[in-house]
């Protein structure tokens, strides 16, 4: 494969990068290939196919972008909820880019399976906590409604039952933030692992070179 064809295909696979970023990537690899005298099959042996190289570059750029974005303070008119949604969306995009990159080589399939397993565990824990908290909320409401229904016949029982219900309802204000924090910590651990795998994948693959 001639070098100009290789780099033309590489440019086509660099979806999501700006024109300036694409040119920076192409300039870097063209210069490296020229200095090392890489052409044809030697170029592919060093970098992999254009698609494989593009996946590694996209993973690297996604990790860098997420690292920089995490350090940026929210904009003045940005609400915490909007900032959180943007962060989650950005990290799920990074997760997807890494998974797509790992698929290009069977060597990374075990790592991909571990990431998917970790994501499954996060989802299961989140769903379990939500369901548990909703059950406690429903139980509290049921206790309060029941207390109102029997207040005329047994005010002592109604007072006890209503108190239990109000306690369960009140605990929601503490339980939801705690549950959210638990899921956030677990998901953060997963994303740290994703970045670790992504960095190893993007910088070294079967004897290939590191890239900018």
């Amino acid at each position: 494969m001639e070098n100009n064809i290789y780099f033309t295909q590489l440019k086509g696979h660099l979806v999501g990068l700006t024109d300036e970023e694409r040119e920076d990537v192409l300039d870097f690899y063209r210069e490296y290939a020229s200095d090392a005298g890489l052409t044809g099959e030697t170029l592919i042996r060093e970098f992999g196919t254009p698609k494989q190289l593009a996946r590694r570059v996209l993973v690297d750029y996604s990790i860098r972008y997420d690292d920089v974005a995490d350090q940026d303070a929210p904009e003045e008119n940005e609400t915490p909820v909007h900032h959180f949604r943007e962060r989650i969306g950005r990290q799920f995009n990074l997760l997807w880019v890494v998974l797509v990159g790992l698929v290009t080589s069977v060597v990374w399939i075990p790592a991909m399976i571990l990431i998917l397993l970790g994501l499954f565990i996060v989802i299961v824990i989140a769903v379990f906590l939500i369901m548990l908290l909703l059950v406690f909320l429903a139980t509290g409401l049921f206790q309060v409604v029941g207390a109102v229904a029997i207040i005329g016949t047994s005010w002592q029982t109604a007072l006890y039952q209503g108190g239990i219900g109000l306690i369960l309802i009140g605990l929601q204000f503490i339980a939801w933030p705690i549950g959210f924090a638990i899921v956030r910590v677990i998901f953060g651990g997963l994303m740290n692992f994703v970045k670790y795998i992504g960095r190893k994948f993007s910088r070294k693959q079967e004897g290939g070179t590191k890239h900018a």
Side-chain angles (χ1 to χ4, degrees), residues 81-189:
V81 174
H82 183 266
H83 182 72
F84 173 73
R85 287 178 178 175
E86 280 197 343
R87 185 170 186 268
I88 291 298
R90 185 179 68 247
Q91 291 189 328
F92 268 103
N93 180 71
L94 169 60
L95 182 65
W96 172 252
V97 171
V98 171
L99 288 174
V100 170
L102 297 180
V103 171
T104 60
S105 174
V106 294
V107 176
W108 295 97
I109 296 300
M112 184 184 70
I113 293 174
L114 285 176
I115 292 174
L116 290 173
L117 179 61
L119 181 60
F120 175 75
I121 292 174
V122 171
I123 293 173
V124 168
I125 292 175
V127 171
F128 173 77
L129 289 176
I130 291 173
M131 295 299 296
L132 182 63
L133 293 175
L134 288 177
V135 167
F136 277 118
L137 176 60
T139 302
L141 292 173
F142 177 79
Q143 293 286 349
V144 171
V145 172
V148 172
I150 65 172
I151 193 170
T153 57
S154 178
W155 68 269
Q156 298 94 337
T157 303
L159 183 63
Y160 173 78
Q161 186 172 332
I164 296 295
L166 291 175
I167 290 174
L168 290 175
I169 294 174
L171 285 175
Q172 300 292 314
F173 295 98
I174 301 174
W176 281 97
I178 292 176
F180 174 78
I182 292 173
V183 173
R184 185 172 181 176
V185 168
I186 297 174
F187 184 70

Side-chain angles (χ1 to χ4, degrees), residues 25-126:
V25 171
L26 293 172
D27 289 343
F28 174 82
Y29 284 105
R30 284 193 184 108
E31 182 177 352
Y32 184 95
S34 177
D35 292 343
L38 301 175
T39 58
E41 292 301 321
T42 58
L43 187 67
I44 297 178
R45 281 199 299 269
E46 180 70 14
F47 294 150
T49 66
K51 185 175 182 179
Q52 290 173 332
L53 178 55
R55 292 288 181 260
R56 289 158 54 198
V57 171
L58 291 173
V59 167
D60 185 57
Y61 267 87
S62 295
I63 293 174
R64 293 185 189 187
Y65 176 75
D66 187 71
D67 287 341
V68 172
D70 271 347
Q71 297 173 2
D72 291 341
E75 297 180 2
E76 186 176 350
N77 59 345
E78 187 179 30
T79 64
V81 174
H82 183 266
H83 182 72
F84 173 73
R85 287 178 178 175
E86 280 197 343
R87 185 170 186 268
I88 291 298
R90 185 179 68 247
Q91 291 189 328
F92 268 103
N93 180 71
L94 169 60
L95 182 65
W96 172 252
V97 171
V98 171
L99 288 174
V100 170
L102 297 180
V103 171
T104 60
S105 174
V106 294
V107 176
W108 295 97
I109 296 300
M112 184 184 70
I113 293 174
L114 285 176
I115 292 174
L116 290 173
L117 179 61
L119 181 60
F120 175 75
I121 292 174
V122 171
I123 293 173
V124 168
I125 292 175

Side-chain angles (χ1 to χ4, degrees), residues 198-210:
R199 290 188 179 102
K200 291 180 68 68
F201 169 78
S202 63
R203 294 176 184 174
K204 184 178 180 182
Q205 179 161 335
E206 299 177 359
T209 184
K210 295 181 179 180

